[in-house]
Amino acid sequence: MHYMELVECIHKNMPNCIDYKNKIILAPMVRVGTLPMRLMALSYGAHIVYTEEIIDWKLLKSERYVNDILKTIDYVDKTDGSIVFRTCNEEAGKVVLQLGTASADRALQVGKKIQQDIAALDVNMGCPKDFSIKGGMGVALLYDLDRAKSILKTLVEHLDIPVTCKIRILPELNETIRTVKELESTGVAAIAVHGRTKIERPRHLPHPEIIREIVKAVKIPIIANGGSNDIHKRADILKFRDACGASSVMIARAAQWNCSIFREEGLLPIEDVIHEYLRLSVDYDNSPSNTKYCIQMILRDLQESELGRKFLDSQTLEQICDVWNFGSYCRKKQLEYHNAGIRGRRQACPCIESTPSDDGCPTKKAKTIDSMLLDGVIEHNISFIRVNYGDDKDLPKSKLYNYTAKNKLKIPNYNVIHKDKLFRAIVLVGNGKYSSSFWEKNKKYAEQSAALTCLLHLGIVRKEELIMNGSMIS
C-alpha cells in the first residue's frame, strides 16, 4: 500500500463521530498508551483506546509523515527523529488523542492539524502532577473554569471530530456537579471522571457515589475511571461501571499490569502478554525506552527475579527481545525495515547549513567548519550502547587509546559537532578520520561511537558482534 492509498484507507475508516455508550476503554497513561499497547488492548476486547497525554507544543513542532514501510501515520519530532504520535488503520475510528494544553489557540491548531488521523480529541483536565499544574494544564483547568470552557468551546465549534475531557472530582459534591454542568454546556461529547480528588492517589479509595451523582446531573455519557485496585478480571470492570452508574468505563493501571483484562475469555499469563507486546513493538518499530518502560509496568515485582534483572540490564529492542527468546525475529525485522529505508532514530540528522552568500542564500561552494570536518571521514551507522560494556577499560575509547599507545601513534583526537541537541564526533587516528553517522544525544556517547567506528575499521571489533549487541544494523 502506497502513500495515497494508506491515507485514503485510514480516512475511509475514520467515522465523523464516536459512540461513548456501553464502552470499555483503555485510559490515557503517560508512556504506556503508545501504539503497541493500544493495538493490544483492542485485540483483547477494548472498544476505544486513548493515547498518552501529548503536550500541545510537541505536536505543533512535529512533522506529519505517512510511513509506507510500517503502514502508519507518524508525527515526528524533526530535531531527533523521535515519534510524538503514531497511528495505523487497525485503530482507525477507535483512537482518541489526549491533549495537554492551557491555550485555546494552541489546542485548536493541534486539533486542525491532527483531526484527520484520530477519532476524537480529549483535553486533559485531571492530571495532578506538578508539571501539568504549573503549566496551567491538567487539573489546574478545573480551578480556572473560564479557561477550561474556552478551550472546549473553541474545539467543539471548529473541529470536525468529537471533543471530550477527562477530569477529577472536586472536594465538594456541589462544586463537582456545577463544574461538570459547565463543561457539558460547551458541547463536549462525553466526560471521563476519575473518582478521586486532586490530592488523592491510587492508594486512596475512589468515590463511585460521586460519579453516580454526576451521571444523574448531566445528559451526556459519563465514563467512570479509578477502580483498578479492585479490578482483577473483566467482570470487575463491569462491576465498577455499574457501581458508578456510568455509561462506560475507562481502565488504566489494571490494563497496564495485564492488558488481557479486556478479554471476555479471561486473563492470559503475563509471559503471553509480554510476547504479544514485544511482537507489536517490533512490528511497529517502537522505541526501546518506551518498550522497556511498558514491560516494567507489566512485570512489577517480577523485576526482582533473575529474568527481571536480566531484562533491566537490557537497553536495545534486540536485547529486550533476547530475554524472551524473541531476538532473532527482532533483528530480522529491523534489518528488513533498514533495507527498506525506514525513517527513524538511526536516520535522525540535524541540518548542517552551508555558509550564506552575500544575498543571504546558502552557497554550495562555501563550507562550514562542521562539513569540512566530515570531508574524507570513514563512517558507519553505529550507536554506543553503554550496557554492552561492563567495565570502563572495555569502553571503545579505552580500547582505541590502548591501540594507539601500543602502536606508538598520537593519542586519538576528538572533534565534536553539536546541532539541535544532537552530537556527532570525529576521531583522528593516524592518517584517518572516523565517525559514526548516528547522532547521539550527548557528547560522551558521540565520542564512544566514533571510537567504535574506528575499531571496526581497524578490525579490533567485528561487525557481527556489533550487529548482535544492537549497535549496528547490517
Side-chain angles (χ1 to χ4, degrees):
M1 186 178 292
H2 295 292
Y3 187 101
M4 290 311 298
E5 291 174 316
L6 177 62
V7 174
E8 289 172 5
C9 183
I10 289 181
H11 288 178
K12 185 174 69 175
N13 286 282
M14 191 74 71
N16 291 325
C17 63
I18 185 170
D19 182 8
Y20 286 96
K21 295 177 182 177
N22 301 314
K23 296 296 187 292
I24 297 176
I25 301 168
L26 177 71
M29 290 178 282
V30 173
R31 298 185 68 186
V32 174
T34 46
L35 184 59
M37 188 65 74
R38 299 197 306 267
L39 292 178
M40 189 161 66
L42 289 171
S43 72
Y44 288 149
H47 302 119
I48 299 170
V49 289
Y50 278 56
T51 70
E52 61 177 336
E53 178 194 27
I54 306 178
I55 307 303
D56 51 17
W57 61 264
K58 284 191 174 182
L59 283 161
L60 289 176
K61 74 171 188 173
S62 68
E63 175 185 66
R64 184 179 186 272
Y65 169 67
V66 176
N67 190 327
D68 280 327
I69 298 169
L70 296 180
K71 304 295 186 291
T72 59
I73 291 178
D74 302 341
Y75 286 78
V76 184
D77 185 331
K78 292 177 286 187
T79 62
D80 64 3
S82 62
I83 302 299
V84 178
F85 170 59
R86 169 170 282 164
T87 187
C88 65
N89 190 52
E90 284 70 23
E91 63 174 2
K94 300 171 185 176
V95 61
V96 179
L97 186 137
Q98 187 181 66
L99 184 66
T101 188
S103 164
D105 289 340
R106 286 200 304 274
L108 182 58
Q109 288 180 59
V110 170
K112 291 279 190 181
K113 179 175 183 174
I114 204 166
Q115 65 176 342
Q116 62 191 310
D117 300 318
I118 57 176
L121 184 66
D122 181 81
V123 178
N124 185 349
M125 297 186 178
C127 181
K129 299 295 179 63
D130 285 346
F131 170 80
S132 287
I133 293 174
K134 288 177 181 177
M137 302 180 291
V139 77
L141 289 171
L142 295 182
Y143 297 87
D144 189 354
L145 201 50
D146 287 342
R147 184 193 295 266
K149 289 173 64 179
S150 173
I151 292 170
L152 295 176
K153 197 168 187 295
T154 299
L155 294 173
V156 169
E157 290 179 352
H158 294 94
L159 295 185
D160 300 325
I161 56 174
V163 176
T164 63
C165 61
K166 184 172 185 288
I167 69 169
R168 284 182 171 244
I169 61 174
L170 297 167
E172 298 295 329
L173 174 60
N174 289 341
E175 187 64 14
T176 301
I177 297 297
R178 186 185 76 82
T179 298
V180 172
K181 284 185 173 181
E182 290 282 348
L183 297 175
E184 181 189 30
S185 72
T186 65
V188 290
I191 298 176
V193 181
H194 185 117
R196 294 183 178 87
T197 65
K198 179 177 74 171
I199 63 171
E200 290 178 324
R201 294 295 178 264
R203 66 179 179 275
H204 297 110
L205 292 174
H207 302 278
E209 72 280 3
I210 301 296
I211 301 179
R212 282 200 304 270
E213 295 303 315
I214 293 172
V215 172
K216 295 175 186 176
V218 298
K219 296 179 180 178
I220 61 174
I222 294 297
I223 305 165
N225 177 232
S228 283
N229 284 341
D230 295 318
I231 293 175
H232 308 291
K233 55 186 181 296
R234 192 176 188 275
D236 295 332
I237 300 175
L238 304 179
K239 183 178 178 181
F240 177 69
R241 180 198 64 187
D242 294 343
C244 296
S247 299
S248 295
V249 61
M250 177 180 279
I251 304 302
R253 287 173 301 123
Q256 172 183 278
W257 299 328
N258 187 331
C259 197
S260 67
I261 194 78
F262 294 110
R263 292 179 82 242
E264 291 186 4
E265 304 87 345
L267 286 172
L268 291 172
I270 288 296
E271 186 169 290
D272 290 356
V273 175
I274 290 175
H275 276 149
E276 177 62 8
Y277 181 77
L278 283 175
R279 183 188 68 78
L280 289 165
S281 293
V282 171
D283 287 351
Y284 287 97
D285 197 32
N286 199 45
S287 76
S289 59
N290 181 251
T291 301
K292 185 172 182 178
Y293 179 83
C294 289
I295 294 178
Q296 283 181 273
M297 297 302 102
I298 297 171
L299 286 175
R300 301 169 73 194
D301 294 344
L302 292 176
Q303 292 179 66
E304 299 303 317
S305 66
E306 183 178 347
L307 180 142
R309 288 192 293 271
K310 182 180 178 183
F311 158 71
L312 291 175
D313 285 339
S314 64
Q315 191 170 334
T316 68
L317 196 54
E318 300 97 312
Q319 290 168 342
I320 295 169
C321 287
D322 277 334
V323 176
W324 282 276
N325 300 314
F326 209 61
S328 59
Y329 177 80
C330 179
R331 277 181 277 274
K332 178 183 176 183
K333 205 73 177 175
Q334 289 202 328
L335 179 58
E336 174 189 325
Y337 290 158
H338 179 72
N339 290 338
I342 196 169
R343 286 174 58 174
R345 182 69 186 88
R346 284 189 177 272
Q347 285 70 41
C349 180
C351 178
I352 300 178
E353 298 176 352
S354 60
T355 304
S357 61
D358 293 338
D359 62 2
C361 298
T363 171
K364 292 181 179 179
K365 293 182 180 179
K367 294 182 178 179
T368 63
I369 294 173
D370 294 347
S371 60
M372 290 173 67
L373 279 172
L374 292 170
D375 279 348
V377 163
I378 295 168
E379 64 179 35
H380 296 283
N381 193 265
I382 298 175
S383 61
F384 171 71
I385 300 167
R386 183 62 181 88
V387 74
N388 288 334
Y389 307 94
D391 197 296
D392 284 355
K393 70 179 186 304
D394 297 325
L395 291 170
K397 284 184 69 175
S398 300
K399 286 186 177 180
L400 188 57
Y401 178 87
N402 291 335
Y403 169 83
T404 56
K406 182 179 179 180
N407 289 277
K408 298 181 180 179
L409 298 171
K410 288 184 179 179
I411 63 172
N413 180 29
Y414 295 87
N415 291 291
V416 177
I417 303 170
H418 180 197
K419 292 278 187 180
D420 297 338
K421 300 181 181 179
L422 295 174
F423 297 83
R424 182 174 175 181
I426 298 97
V427 60
L428 280 65
V429 176
N431 295 320
K433 294 195 295 184
Y434 308 89
S435 176
S436 172
S437 59
F438 182 88
W439 289 78
E440 299 278 4
K441 291 192 174 182
N442 66 61
K443 177 178 178 288
K444 291 181 179 179
Y445 278 28
E447 291 178 347
Q448 295 287 2
S449 61
L452 205 49
T453 302
C454 182
L455 293 172
L456 174 64
H457 182 77
L458 295 171
I460 297 171
V461 298
R462 297 182 302 110
K463 183 177 180 180
E464 293 75 18
E465 176 188 344
L466 297 178
I467 292 171
M468 285 300 297
N469 67 29
S471 299
M472 191 175 183
I473 295 177
S474 176

